[in-house]
Structure formats: C-alpha cells, structure tokens
Amino acid sequence: MRIVFIGPPGAGKGTQAERLIEKYGLAHLSTGDMLRAARDAQTDVGRKAEEYMSKGELVPDEIIIAIIGQRLAQPDCQGGCLLDGFPRTIAQAEALDALLAEKQTPLDVVLELRVPEEELFNRLAGRGRADDQPEVIRQRLVAYRRQTEPLLEYYGAKSVLKSVDGLGTVDEIFDRVVDVLDNVKES
Ligand code: AMP
C-alpha cells in the first residue's frame, strides 16, 4: 500500500506511523525525520533546511521534492510506503503524483488525522523539541492551515481522502486507522 498521512503538527502522525509500518510492512518516509538527520549531520541541505525549520516555516518545495524523489527510488519502497509529513503543499502533491505516475504506482489512500487546534497547542508545548517553542508552534500551525490544508480538497477531489478522529488514546486512534486501511486494502 502507498499511504499519505496528513495532519497538523502534534496530531500524533509519528506515533501512529511507527505502529502502522510494523503492521503493514511499509517503508516509513518522514520528511521531518530526514531533515532533522540532515541538519544534525550538518550537510548543505540540512543547514539550509534548518533556516526554515527553526522558524516553523516550510522548507522550499524543490529541496523536499528532490529528497523524496531519491528516497522513493530505494528498494524498500517497493513493498509500499507511508509518507508522513509529505506532501505539505499543492506543488509537492503534484510532484508526488508525477513521480508515482512514472512508476505506475498510484496512492491507495490519503489519511487525515483530525485534531482541534487548541488540543494541538497543548500537545506540542509539552513535547520539548527545538521547534516546539510557543512562537514556532504558532507559525507551524499557520503553515499547516495556509499551505497544507488545501491538500484536503485536492485529495478529496481525487476520492482518495479518508479522515480519522485523532482524539482519544493511541490504541483507540490506531484501531480507527486500521479499520480504514483494512477497508481500502479489501476494495
Ligand atoms: P515534522 O517533523 O513533519 O513536523 O517537520 C518538521 C519541520 O520540517 C517542519 O516544520 C518543516 O520546517 C520541515 N518539513 C518537514 N516536512 C516538510 C515538507 N514536506 N515540506 C516542507 N517542509 C517540511
């Protein structure tokens, strides 16, 4: 299966993604993790990305699209992948469509994890990552609303979007997501 996981920062995508890749045997492609690794390794891409990440802004599309293009070409993605935190803009979604069309491996489902904004702020403020400072959190939520939320309409129009309530325990949310994915697999 090829799955895109969409949700605002703090929705719990990372936690659910860890469980899902294990259950379904998928490669986990988290662009946030890739960028943090590049930043920690002090590569050119990492240094450039950090200028945006530290402010809670999105890294430019061309950087992200190049990273994901290379990653998708690796053999472990052939058994299916979970894209976590990518795409985050319409331009990225279009680039992904083009990459997948080339390989004739379309997306099976786009999963939206829905969490109200007040709840997100509380969750993020309790997490302690470098970009979890209040001002940066606010900016990341703004970036989500402005740049990423339009993807819901984009994927809704392609009839691949499924939304899941992201409130509750990790187990409850996992069960909801698994229900959706098992239905997609059967159809
Ligand atoms: P995340 O761990 O997914 O919350 O990502 C952390 C930060 O990395 C974001 O706030 C962005 O600055 C950057 N980032 C991650 N994925 C993307 C993406 N697909 N497009 C642009 N920036 C991204």
Side-chain angles (χ1 to χ4, degrees), residues 7-10 13 30-36 49-61 63-65 68 84-89 92 124 127 129 131-132 136 139-140 143 147-148:
K13 294 190 302 296
S30 158
T31 43
D33 286 351
M34 293 176 207
L35 292 171
R36 280 184 288 277
E50 175 60 8
E51 292 171 25
Y52 298 88
M53 294 165 80
S54 62
K55 292 189 274 189
E57 291 171 10
L58 294 187
V59 172
D61 288 332
I63 294 182
I64 294 286
I65 291 166
I68 213 82
D84 167 9
F86 175 90
R88 261 172 152 103
T89 64
Q92 292 178 18
L124 290 165
R127 209 162 63 166
R129 217 166 73 182
D131 55 353
D132 288 339
V136 183
Q139 185 49 49
R140 288 165 62 209
Q147 292 168 278
T148 307

Side-chain angles (χ1 to χ4, degrees), residues 120-180:
L120 295 172
F121 202 89
N122 294 335
R123 289 189 192 180
L124 290 165
R127 209 162 63 166
R129 217 166 73 182
D131 55 353
D132 288 339
Q133 301 304 313
E135 249 335 290
V136 183
I137 293 175
R138 252 186 286 279
Q139 185 49 49
R140 288 165 62 209
L141 292 171
V142 167
Y144 181 76
R145 247 188 332 236
R146 288 201 188 138
Q147 292 168 278
T148 307
E149 253 179 13
L151 292 181
L152 301 177
E153 206 170 308
Y154 178 88
Y155 286 122
K158 293 178 184 283
S159 305
V160 285
L161 181 68
K162 306 275 180 205
S163 296
V164 171
D165 176 4
L167 288 179
T169 65
V170 171
D171 286 336
E172 284 165 350
I173 300 162
F174 184 66
D175 288 346
R176 285 176 209 144
V177 172
V178 165
D179 270 352
V180 169

